[in-house]
Amino acid sequence: MDTIEHWKHIIRQANSAFAHDHYVLAADLYQQAAVLLTQAWPEYEARSADNFIPGAPDGTALLIICLSISVQNLAETYARQQRWRRCLATLNRALQQVLQLQAQLPATHPANVALLRESCSLRRELCRFSQLAPAMPAEITLPVRPTAATLH
C-alpha cells in the first residue's frame, strides 16, 4: 500500500474513533499517521531530488500537508481531553520542525509553498488553542522567533 493511501486508511480510523468520543484511540491513530509520514520523508525527499521539475507537483509537499493534518487532529484530540499542555506542545513542536525544514530547503524547492502554508495553519491552531487553554507557562504557548533584520 502506498504511504499516502496507508495514511488515509489510518486517518479514517482515527476520525471515526474521534467522532465516537474514543479520544485515546484517536490520539494513538493520529500519532501513528504522523510517524508513518515522518518515516517516509527520506524516501519522498530522495524521489523529489531525483525527479525535480520546476512547477511540477511534489510528493514531499503532499507529505507535509498530510503530516500537518495529522498533528492538528492530534492536537484537537488532546484539547477535547483537556490535555492542554500536550495539545500546545504537540503544535509547537510541529511548528518548529516545519520552520526548521523550511530553513534547510533551498528557496526553489517545490515543497516551500506547502511548508509556508502549513506553518501558518499550525501557528493559527496554536493561537486558537492558546486562547482556549487555561493560563499556561509562556514556554508552552506561542514560540518567540527573532525578527530578521532584512526582508527576504
Side-chain angles (χ1 to χ4, degrees), residues 84-100:
W84 297 109
R85 285 183 190 276
R86 174 81 41 116
C87 171
L88 297 173
T90 298
L91 288 167
N92 194 23
R93 187 173 43 254
L95 176 59
Q96 294 308 314
Q97 290 170 339
V98 165
L99 293 173
Q100 182 180 26

Side-chain angles (χ1 to χ4, degrees), residues 46-108:
R47 255 193 275 158
S48 176
D50 292 343
N51 302 319
F52 179 71
I53 301 169
D58 179 55
T60 54
L62 180 59
L63 204 69
I64 290 162
I65 293 165
C66 293
L67 182 59
S68 180
I69 291 168
S70 299
V71 168
Q72 290 176 57
N73 287 349
L74 179 58
E76 178 73 37
T77 303
Y78 290 143
R80 291 287 175 101
Q81 296 173 315
Q82 304 291 307
R83 296 173 67 188
W84 297 109
R85 285 183 190 276
R86 174 81 41 116
C87 171
L88 297 173
T90 298
L91 288 167
N92 194 23
R93 187 173 43 254
L95 176 59
Q96 294 308 314
Q97 290 170 339
V98 165
L99 293 173
Q100 182 180 26
L101 184 56
Q102 194 173 22
Q104 292 173 352
L105 291 179
T108 57

Side-chain angles (χ1 to χ4, degrees), residues 1-12 36 44:
M1 183 183 304
D2 171 68
T3 300
I4 299 299
E5 289 303 314
H6 189 194
W7 174 82
K8 288 178 184 177
H9 176 74
I10 295 170
I11 289 295
R12 280 192 293 272
L36 173 72
Y44 273 73

